[in-house]
Coordinates of all heavy atoms in Angstrom, one line a residue:
M449 N -14.0 10.0 -11.0 CA -13.7 10.3 -9.6 C -12.2 10.1 -9.4 O -11.7 9.0 -9.6 CB -14.5 9.5 -8.7 CG -14.3 9.7 -7.2 SD -15.7 9.0 -6.3 CE -14.9 8.4 -4.9
P450 N -11.5 11.1 -8.9 CA -10.0 10.9 -8.7 C -9.8 9.9 -7.5 O -10.6 9.8 -6.6 CB -9.6 12.3 -8.3 CG -10.8 13.0 -7.8 CD -11.9 12.4 -8.5
S451 N -8.7 9.2 -7.7 CA -8.4 8.2 -6.6 C -7.8 8.9 -5.4 O -7.1 10.0 -5.5 CB -7.4 7.1 -7.2 OG -6.2 7.8 -7.5
K452 N -8.0 8.4 -4.3 CA -7.5 8.9 -3.0 C -6.7 7.8 -2.3 O -7.1 6.6 -2.4 CB -8.7 9.4 -2.1 CG -9.5 10.5 -2.8 CD -10.7 10.8 -1.9 CE -11.4 11.9 -2.5 NZ -12.6 11.5 -3.2
P453 N -5.6 8.2 -1.7 CA -4.8 7.1 -1.0 C -5.6 6.3 0.0 O -5.4 5.1 0.2 CB -3.7 7.9 -0.4 CG -3.6 9.1 -1.2 CD -5.0 9.4 -1.6
V454 N -6.5 7.0 0.8 CA -7.3 6.3 1.8 C -8.7 6.9 1.7 O -8.9 8.1 1.8 CB -6.7 6.5 3.2 CG1 -7.7 5.8 4.2 CG2 -5.3 5.9 3.3
S455 N -9.7 6.1 1.5 CA -11.1 6.5 1.5 C -11.7 6.1 2.8 O -11.8 4.9 3.2 CB -11.9 5.9 0.4 OG -11.3 6.3 -0.9
V456 N -12.2 7.1 3.6 CA -12.7 6.9 4.9 C -14.2 7.2 4.9 O -14.7 8.1 4.4 CB -12.0 7.8 6.0 CG1 -12.6 7.5 7.4 CG2 -10.5 7.5 5.9
R457 N -15.0 6.3 5.6 CA -16.4 6.5 5.8 C -16.6 7.2 7.1 O -16.1 6.7 8.1 CB -17.1 5.2 5.7 CG -18.6 5.3 5.9 CD -19.4 4.0 5.7 NE -19.1 3.6 4.3 CZ -19.1 2.4 3.9 NH1 -19.4 1.4 4.7 NH2 -18.9 2.1 2.6
Y458 N -17.4 8.2 7.1 CA -17.7 9.0 8.3 C -19.2 8.9 8.7 O -20.1 8.8 7.8 CB -17.4 10.5 8.1 CG -15.9 10.8 8.0 CD1 -15.2 10.7 6.8 CD2 -15.2 11.2 9.1 CE1 -13.9 10.9 6.7 CE2 -13.9 11.5 9.1 CZ -13.2 11.3 7.9 OH -11.9 11.6 7.8
E459 N -19.5 8.9 10.0 CA -20.9 9.0 10.5 C -20.8 10.1 11.5 O -20.0 10.0 12.5 CB -21.3 7.7 11.0 CG -21.6 6.6 10.0 CD -22.0 5.3 10.5 OE1 -22.3 5.2 11.8 OE2 -22.1 4.4 9.7
D460 N -21.7 11.1 11.4 CA -21.8 12.2 12.4 C -20.4 12.9 12.5 O -20.1 13.2 13.6 CB -22.3 11.7 13.7 CG -23.7 11.2 13.6 OD1 -24.5 11.7 12.9 OD2 -24.0 10.2 14.3
G461 N -19.7 13.0 11.4 CA -18.4 13.7 11.4 C -17.2 12.9 12.0 O -16.2 13.4 12.2
R462 N -17.5 11.6 12.4 CA -16.4 10.8 12.9 C -16.1 9.6 12.0 O -17.0 9.0 11.4 CB -16.9 10.2 14.3 CG -17.2 11.4 15.3 CD -17.5 10.7 16.6 NE -16.2 10.4 17.2 CZ -15.7 10.8 18.3 NH1 -16.5 11.5 19.1 NH2 -14.6 10.4 18.7
P463 N -14.8 9.3 11.9 CA -14.4 8.2 11.0 C -14.9 6.9 11.6 O -14.7 6.6 12.8 CB -12.9 8.2 11.0 CG -12.5 9.0 12.2 CD -13.6 9.9 12.5
V464 N -15.6 6.0 10.8 CA -16.1 4.7 11.3 C -15.5 3.5 10.6 O -15.5 2.4 11.1 CB -17.6 4.7 11.2 CG1 -18.3 5.7 12.2 CG2 -18.1 4.9 9.8
S465 N -15.0 3.8 9.4 CA -14.3 2.6 8.6 C -13.6 3.2 7.5 O -13.7 4.3 7.0 CB -15.4 1.6 8.2 OG -16.2 2.2 7.2
V466 N -12.7 2.3 7.0 CA -11.9 2.6 5.8 C -12.5 1.8 4.6 O -12.6 0.6 4.8 CB -10.4 2.3 6.0 CG1 -9.6 2.4 4.7 CG2 -9.8 3.2 7.0
D467 N -12.8 2.4 3.5 CA -13.3 1.8 2.4 C -12.2 1.2 1.5 O -12.2 0.1 1.1 CB -14.2 2.7 1.6 CG -14.8 2.0 0.3 OD1 -15.5 1.1 0.4 OD2 -14.4 2.5 -0.8
T468 N -11.2 2.1 1.2 CA -10.1 1.7 0.3 C -8.8 2.3 0.8 O -8.7 3.4 1.3 CB -10.4 2.3 -1.1 OG1 -11.6 1.8 -1.6 CG2 -9.3 1.9 -2.1
V469 N -7.7 1.5 0.6 CA -6.3 2.0 0.9 C -5.6 1.7 -0.4 O -5.6 0.6 -0.9 CB -5.7 1.2 2.0 CG1 -4.2 1.7 2.2 CG2 -6.4 1.4 3.3
L470 N -5.0 2.8 -1.0 CA -4.2 2.7 -2.2 C -2.8 3.1 -1.9 O -2.6 4.2 -1.4 CB -4.8 3.5 -3.3 CG -4.0 3.7 -4.6 CD1 -3.8 2.3 -5.2 CD2 -4.6 4.7 -5.5
L471 N -1.8 2.2 -2.0 CA -0.4 2.5 -1.6 C 0.5 2.0 -2.6 O 0.4 0.9 -3.1 CB -0.1 1.9 -0.2 CG 1.2 2.3 0.4 CD1 0.9 2.5 1.9 CD2 2.2 1.3 0.2
S472 N 1.5 2.9 -3.0 CA 2.5 2.4 -3.9 C 3.9 2.8 -3.3 O 4.0 3.9 -2.7 CB 2.4 3.2 -5.3 OG 1.3 2.7 -6.0
T473 N 4.8 1.9 -3.4 CA 6.1 2.2 -2.8 C 7.2 1.6 -3.7 O 7.0 0.6 -4.3 CB 6.2 1.6 -1.4 OG1 7.4 2.0 -0.8 CG2 6.0 0.1 -1.3
Q474 N 8.4 2.2 -3.6 CA 9.6 1.7 -4.3 C 10.1 0.5 -3.5 O 9.9 0.5 -2.3 CB 10.7 2.7 -4.5 CG 10.3 3.8 -5.4 CD 11.4 4.8 -5.6 OE1 12.4 4.8 -4.9 NE2 11.3 5.6 -6.6
H475 N 10.7 -0.4 -4.2 CA 11.2 -1.6 -3.5 C 12.3 -2.2 -4.3 O 12.5 -2.0 -5.5 CB 10.1 -2.6 -3.2 CG 9.5 -3.2 -4.5 ND1 8.6 -2.5 -5.3 CD2 9.8 -4.3 -5.2 CE1 8.3 -3.2 -6.3 NE2 9.0 -4.3 -6.3
D476 N 13.1 -3.0 -3.6 CA 14.2 -3.8 -4.2 C 13.5 -4.8 -5.1 O 12.6 -5.5 -4.7 CB 15.0 -4.5 -3.1 CG 16.3 -5.1 -3.7 OD1 16.1 -6.0 -4.6 OD2 17.4 -4.8 -3.2
P477 N 14.0 -5.0 -6.4 CA 13.4 -6.0 -7.2 C 13.5 -7.4 -6.8 O 12.8 -8.3 -7.2 CB 14.1 -5.8 -8.6 CG 15.3 -5.1 -8.3 CD 15.1 -4.3 -7.0
E478 N 14.4 -7.7 -5.8 CA 14.5 -9.0 -5.3 C 13.4 -9.4 -4.3 O 13.3 -10.5 -3.9 CB 15.9 -9.2 -4.7 CG 17.0 -9.1 -5.8 CD 18.4 -9.2 -5.3 OE1 18.6 -9.5 -4.1 OE2 19.3 -8.9 -6.1
V479 N 12.7 -8.3 -3.8 CA 11.6 -8.6 -2.9 C 10.4 -8.9 -3.7 O 10.0 -8.2 -4.7 CB 11.3 -7.3 -2.1 CG1 10.0 -7.5 -1.2 CG2 12.5 -6.9 -1.2
T480 N 9.8 -10.1 -3.4 CA 8.6 -10.5 -4.2 C 7.4 -9.6 -3.9 O 7.3 -9.0 -2.8 CB 8.2 -12.0 -3.9 OG1 7.8 -12.0 -2.5 CG2 9.4 -12.9 -4.1
Q481 N 6.5 -9.6 -4.8 CA 5.2 -8.8 -4.6 C 4.5 -9.4 -3.4 O 3.9 -8.7 -2.6 CB 4.3 -8.9 -5.8 CG 4.8 -8.0 -7.0 CD 4.8 -6.5 -6.6 OE1 3.8 -6.0 -6.1 NE2 6.0 -5.9 -6.8
E482 N 4.5 -10.7 -3.2 CA 3.8 -11.3 -2.1 C 4.4 -10.9 -0.8 O 3.7 -10.5 0.2 CB 3.9 -12.9 -2.2 CG 3.1 -13.4 -3.3 CD 3.9 -13.3 -4.7 OE1 5.1 -13.1 -4.7 OE2 3.2 -13.4 -5.7
Q483 N 5.7 -10.8 -0.7 CA 6.4 -10.4 0.6 C 6.1 -8.9 0.8 O 5.8 -8.5 1.9 CB 7.9 -10.6 0.5 CG 8.6 -10.2 1.8 CD 8.2 -11.1 3.0 OE1 8.2 -12.3 2.8 NE2 8.0 -10.4 4.1
L484 N 6.2 -8.1 -0.3 CA 5.9 -6.7 -0.2 C 4.5 -6.4 0.3 O 4.3 -5.7 1.3 CB 6.1 -6.0 -1.5 CG 5.9 -4.5 -1.5 CD1 7.1 -3.8 -0.8 CD2 5.8 -4.0 -2.9
H485 N 3.5 -7.1 -0.3 CA 2.1 -7.0 0.2 C 2.0 -7.4 1.6 O 1.3 -6.7 2.4 CB 1.2 -7.8 -0.7 CG 1.0 -7.2 -2.1 ND1 -0.3 -7.0 -2.6 CD2 1.8 -6.7 -3.0 CE1 -0.2 -6.5 -3.8 NE2 1.1 -6.3 -4.0
R486 N 2.5 -8.5 2.0 CA 2.4 -9.0 3.4 C 3.0 -8.0 4.4 O 2.4 -7.6 5.4 CB 3.1 -10.3 3.5 CG 2.9 -11.1 4.8 CD 3.4 -12.5 4.8 NE 4.6 -12.7 4.1 CZ 4.8 -13.4 3.0 NH1 3.7 -13.8 2.3 NH2 6.0 -13.5 2.4
D487 N 4.2 -7.5 4.1 CA 4.9 -6.5 5.0 C 4.1 -5.2 5.1 O 3.9 -4.6 6.2 CB 6.3 -6.3 4.6 CG 7.2 -7.5 4.8 OD1 6.7 -8.5 5.5 OD2 8.3 -7.5 4.2
I488 N 3.7 -4.6 3.9 CA 3.0 -3.4 3.9 C 1.7 -3.5 4.6 O 1.3 -2.6 5.4 CB 2.8 -2.9 2.5 CG1 4.1 -2.5 1.8 CG2 1.8 -1.7 2.4 CD1 4.8 -1.3 2.4
R489 N 1.0 -4.6 4.4 CA -0.3 -4.8 5.0 C -0.1 -4.8 6.5 O -0.9 -4.1 7.3 CB -1.0 -6.1 4.5 CG -2.3 -6.3 5.1 CD -2.9 -7.6 4.6 NE -3.1 -7.6 3.2 CZ -4.3 -7.3 2.6 NH1 -5.3 -7.0 3.4 NH2 -4.5 -7.3 1.3
K490 N 0.8 -5.6 7.0 CA 1.0 -5.8 8.4 C 1.6 -4.5 9.1 O 1.1 -4.1 10.1 CB 1.9 -7.0 8.7 CG 2.2 -7.2 10.1 CD 3.2 -8.4 10.3 CE 3.6 -8.6 11.7 NZ 4.6 -9.6 11.9
E491 N 2.7 -4.0 8.6 CA 3.5 -3.0 9.2 C 3.0 -1.6 9.0 O 3.3 -0.7 9.9 CB 5.0 -3.1 8.8 CG 5.6 -4.4 9.1 CD 5.7 -4.8 10.6 OE1 5.8 -3.9 11.4 OE2 5.7 -6.0 10.9
V492 N 2.3 -1.4 8.0 CA 1.8 0.0 7.7 C 0.3 0.1 7.8 O -0.2 0.9 8.6 CB 2.3 0.5 6.3 CG1 1.7 1.8 5.9 CG2 3.8 0.4 6.1
I493 N -0.4 -0.7 7.1 CA -1.9 -0.5 7.0 C -2.6 -1.0 8.2 O -3.3 -0.2 8.9 CB -2.4 -1.2 5.7 CG1 -1.8 -0.5 4.5 CG2 -3.9 -1.2 5.7 CD1 -2.1 -1.3 3.2
V494 N -2.4 -2.3 8.6 CA -3.0 -2.8 9.8 C -2.6 -2.1 11.1 O -3.4 -1.7 11.9 CB -2.9 -4.3 9.9 CG1 -3.4 -4.8 11.2 CG2 -3.5 -5.0 8.7
S495 N -1.3 -1.8 11.2 CA -0.8 -1.2 12.4 C -1.4 0.3 12.5 O -1.6 0.8 13.6 CB 0.7 -1.2 12.5 OG 1.3 -0.4 11.6
G496 N -1.6 0.9 11.4 CA -2.1 2.3 11.5 C -3.6 2.5 11.4 O -4.1 3.5 11.9
L497 N -4.3 1.5 10.8 CA -5.7 1.7 10.6 C -6.5 0.6 11.2 O -7.7 0.4 10.8 CB -6.0 1.8 9.1 CG -5.3 2.9 8.3 CD1 -5.5 2.7 6.8 CD2 -5.9 4.2 8.8
Q498 N -6.0 -0.2 12.0 CA -6.6 -1.5 12.5 C -8.0 -1.3 13.0 O -8.9 -2.1 12.6 CB -5.8 -2.0 13.7 CG -6.3 -3.3 14.2 CD -5.4 -3.9 15.3 OE1 -4.4 -3.3 15.6 NE2 -5.7 -5.1 15.8
D499 N -8.3 -0.2 13.7 CA -9.7 -0.1 14.2 C -10.7 0.3 13.2 O -11.9 0.3 13.4 CB -9.7 1.0 15.3 CG -8.9 0.6 16.6 OD1 -8.7 -0.6 16.7 OD2 -8.4 1.5 17.3
L500 N -10.2 0.7 12.0 CA -11.2 1.2 11.0 C -11.3 0.2 9.8 O -12.1 0.4 8.9 CB -10.7 2.6 10.4 CG -10.7 3.7 11.4 CD1 -10.1 5.0 10.8 CD2 -12.1 4.0 11.9
L501 N -10.5 -0.8 9.8 CA -10.5 -1.8 8.7 C -11.7 -2.7 8.8 O -12.1 -3.1 9.9 CB -9.2 -2.6 8.6 CG -8.0 -1.8 8.3 CD1 -6.8 -2.8 8.3 CD2 -8.1 -1.2 6.9
R502 N -12.4 -3.0 7.7 CA -13.5 -4.0 7.7 C -13.1 -5.2 6.8 O -12.1 -5.1 6.1 CB -14.7 -3.3 7.1 CG -15.2 -2.1 7.7 CD -16.5 -1.6 7.1 NE -16.4 -1.8 5.6 CZ -16.4 -0.8 4.8 NH1 -16.5 0.5 5.2 NH2 -16.4 -1.0 3.5
E503 N -13.9 -6.2 6.9 CA -13.6 -7.4 6.1 C -13.6 -7.0 4.6 O -12.9 -7.6 3.8 CB -14.7 -8.4 6.4 CG -14.2 -9.8 6.2 CD -15.2 -10.8 6.7 OE1 -15.4 -11.0 7.9 OE2 -15.8 -11.4 5.8
D504 N -14.4 -6.1 4.2 CA -14.5 -5.7 2.8 C -13.7 -4.5 2.4 O -13.8 -4.0 1.3 CB -16.0 -5.5 2.4 CG -16.6 -4.3 3.1 OD1 -16.1 -3.9 4.2 OD2 -17.7 -3.8 2.6
T505 N -12.8 -4.0 3.2 CA -11.9 -2.9 2.9 C -11.0 -3.4 1.7 O -10.4 -4.4 1.7 CB -11.0 -2.5 4.1 OG1 -11.9 -2.0 5.1 CG2 -10.0 -1.4 3.7
R506 N -11.0 -2.5 0.7 CA -10.1 -2.8 -0.5 C -8.7 -2.3 -0.2 O -8.5 -1.1 0.1 CB -10.7 -2.2 -1.7 CG -12.0 -2.8 -2.2 CD -12.5 -2.1 -3.4 NE -12.7 -0.7 -3.1 CZ -12.9 0.2 -4.0 NH1 -12.8 -0.1 -5.3 NH2 -13.1 1.5 -3.7
I507 N -7.7 -3.2 -0.3 CA -6.3 -2.8 0.0 C -5.6 -3.0 -1.3 O -5.5 -4.2 -1.8 CB -5.7 -3.5 1.1 CG1 -6.5 -3.2 2.4 CG2 -4.2 -3.2 1.3 CD1 -6.0 -3.9 3.6
L508 N -5.1 -1.9 -1.9 CA -4.4 -2.0 -3.2 C -3.0 -1.6 -3.0 O -2.7 -0.4 -2.7 CB -5.1 -1.1 -4.2 CG -6.6 -1.3 -4.4 CD1 -7.3 -0.2 -5.2 CD2 -6.9 -2.7 -5.0
I509 N -2.0 -2.5 -3.3 CA -0.6 -2.2 -3.0 C 0.1 -2.4 -4.3 O 0.1 -3.5 -4.9 CB 0.0 -3.1 -1.9 CG1 -0.8 -2.9 -0.6 CG2 1.5 -2.8 -1.7 CD1 -0.5 -3.9 0.4
N510 N 0.9 -1.4 -4.8 CA 1.7 -1.4 -6.0 C 0.9 -2.1 -7.1 O 1.4 -3.1 -7.7 CB 3.0 -2.2 -5.7 CG 4.0 -1.3 -5.1 OD1 3.7 -0.2 -4.6 ND2 5.3 -1.8 -5.0
T511 N -0.2 -1.5 -7.5 CA -1.0 -2.1 -8.5 C -0.4 -2.2 -9.9 O -0.8 -3.1 -10.6 CB -2.3 -1.3 -8.6 OG1 -2.0 0.1 -8.9 CG2 -3.1 -1.4 -7.3
T512 N 0.7 -1.4 -10.1 CA 1.4 -1.6 -11.4 C 2.6 -2.5 -11.3 O 3.1 -2.9 -12.3 CB 1.8 -0.2 -12.0 OG1 2.8 0.4 -11.1 CG2 0.7 0.8 -12.2
A513 N 3.0 -2.7 -10.1 CA 4.2 -3.5 -9.8 C 5.5 -3.0 -10.5 O 6.4 -3.7 -10.8 CB 4.0 -5.0 -10.2
L514 N 5.5 -1.7 -10.8 CA 6.7 -1.1 -11.5 C 7.5 -0.1 -10.6 O 8.3 0.6 -11.1 CB 6.2 -0.2 -12.7 CG 5.5 -1.1 -13.8 CD1 5.0 -0.1 -14.9 CD2 6.4 -2.1 -14.4
N515 N 7.3 -0.2 -9.3 CA 8.0 0.7 -8.4 C 9.3 0.2 -7.9 O 9.6 0.2 -6.7 CB 7.1 1.1 -7.2 CG 5.9 1.9 -7.7 OD1 6.1 2.9 -8.3 ND2 4.7 1.5 -7.4
V516 N 10.2 -0.3 -8.8 CA 11.5 -0.8 -8.4 C 12.3 0.4 -8.0 O 12.4 1.4 -8.6 CB 12.1 -1.6 -9.6 CG1 13.5 -2.0 -9.3 CG2 11.2 -2.8 -10.0
C517 N 13.1 0.2 -7.0 CA 13.9 1.2 -6.4 C 14.9 1.7 -7.4 O 15.7 1.0 -8.0 CB 14.7 0.7 -5.2 SG 15.7 1.9 -4.4
L518 N 14.9 3.0 -7.6 CA 15.9 3.7 -8.6 C 17.3 3.5 -8.2 O 18.2 3.3 -9.1 CB 15.5 5.2 -8.7 CG 14.2 5.5 -9.4 CD1 14.0 7.0 -9.3 CD2 14.1 5.0 -10.8
K519 N 17.6 3.4 -6.9 CA 19.0 3.2 -6.5 C 19.5 1.9 -7.0 O 20.6 1.8 -7.4 CB 19.1 3.4 -5.0 CG 20.5 3.4 -4.5 CD 20.5 3.7 -3.0 CE 21.9 3.9 -2.5 NZ 22.0 4.3 -1.2
Y520 N 18.7 0.9 -6.9 CA 19.1 -0.5 -7.4 C 19.4 -0.4 -8.9 O 20.4 -0.9 -9.3 CB 17.9 -1.5 -7.1 CG 18.2 -2.8 -7.7 CD1 19.0 -3.7 -7.0 CD2 17.8 -3.2 -9.0 CE1 19.2 -5.0 -7.5 CE2 18.1 -4.4 -9.5 CZ 18.8 -5.3 -8.8 OH 19.1 -6.6 -9.3
L521 N 18.5 0.3 -9.7 CA 18.7 0.3 -11.1 C 20.0 1.1 -11.4 O 20.7 0.8 -12.3 CB 17.5 1.0 -11.8 CG 16.2 0.1 -11.7 CD1 15.1 0.9 -12.3 CD2 16.4 -1.2 -12.4
Q522 N 20.3 2.2 -10.7 CA 21.5 3.0 -10.9 C 22.7 2.1 -10.6 O 23.7 2.1 -11.3 CB 21.5 4.2 -10.0 CG 20.5 5.2 -10.5 CD 20.3 6.4 -9.4 OE1 20.5 6.2 -8.3 NE2 19.9 7.5 -9.9
N523 N 22.7 1.3 -9.5 CA 23.8 0.5 -9.2 C 24.0 -0.6 -10.2 O 25.2 -1.1 -10.4 CB 23.6 -0.2 -7.8 CG 23.7 0.8 -6.7 OD1 24.3 1.9 -6.8 ND2 23.2 0.5 -5.5
K524 N 23.0 -1.0 -10.9 CA 23.1 -2.0 -12.0 C 23.4 -1.4 -13.3 O 23.4 -2.1 -14.3 CB 21.9 -2.9 -12.0 CG 21.6 -3.6 -10.8 CD 22.6 -4.7 -10.6 CE 22.2 -5.6 -9.4 NZ 23.2 -6.6 -9.0
N525 N 23.6 -0.1 -13.3 CA 23.9 0.7 -14.6 C 22.8 0.6 -15.6 O 23.0 0.6 -16.8 CB 25.2 0.3 -15.2 CG 26.4 0.6 -14.3 OD1 26.4 1.7 -13.7 ND2 27.4 -0.3 -14.2
C526 N 21.5 0.4 -15.1 CA 20.4 0.4 -16.0 C 20.0 1.8 -16.3 O 19.4 2.1 -17.4 CB 19.2 -0.3 -15.3 SG 19.6 -2.1 -15.0
I527 N 20.2 2.8 -15.4 CA 19.9 4.2 -15.6 C 21.0 5.0 -15.1 O 21.8 4.6 -14.3 CB 18.5 4.6 -14.9 CG1 18.6 4.4 -13.4 CG2 17.4 3.8 -15.5 CD1 17.4 4.9 -12.7
S528 N 21.1 6.3 -15.5 CA 22.1 7.1 -15.0 C 21.5 8.2 -14.2 O 20.4 8.4 -14.1 CB 22.9 7.7 -16.2 OG 22.0 8.4 -17.1

C-alpha cells in the first residue's frame, strides 16, 4: 500500500479522525530532531488538524533524518 502524507478516517462521507500524518521537511542541521518534531507537531500538525487528531494518531516526522537544508550544505561547500 503506498504511503500517504495524511490518512483520514471518514464516516458517512465526513472526516472524523486522522490515522497517520507523514511529514518530511528540510532543516538546518543545527536544529535538533527533538526541536524539529516539537515545532512541526505544534505549529503545523496540531494547529491544522487539531479536531481530527486522536490519542493513537501516528505522527511521523523526518523518518530518515536526512532532510538537511541544501542551502546550508552549499554554504559549507559540501555540495555545488
Side-chain angles (χ1 to χ4, degrees):
M449 181 162 144
S451 65
K452 298 176 177 101
V454 178
S455 296
V456 179
R457 181 174 296 153
Y458 289 85
E459 290 178 6
D460 298 321
R462 302 188 74 126
V464 295
S465 65
V466 171
D467 178 63
T468 304
V469 177
L470 172 62
L471 189 140
S472 294
T473 184
Q474 292 184 349
H475 63 282
D476 188 306
E478 295 175 11
V479 174
T480 66
Q481 286 296 308
E482 293 79 18
Q483 182 66 45
L484 181 73
H485 283 231
R486 189 171 39 252
D487 291 348
I488 292 293
R489 183 181 293 267
K490 178 182 174 189
E491 302 297 331
V492 177
I493 297 169
V494 172
S495 70
L497 300 170
Q498 182 175 2
D499 295 339
L500 297 174
L501 296 176
R502 301 183 321 244
E503 211 173 285
D504 64 339
T505 297
R506 293 179 301 161
I507 298 177
L508 309 168
I509 302 169
N510 280 13
T511 55
T512 64
L514 296 175
N515 291 307
V516 174
C517 181
L518 293 176
K519 188 172 189 174
Y520 175 86
L521 294 175
Q522 288 169 335
N523 289 341
K524 298 292 184 182
N525 294 320
C526 297
I527 62 173
S528 54

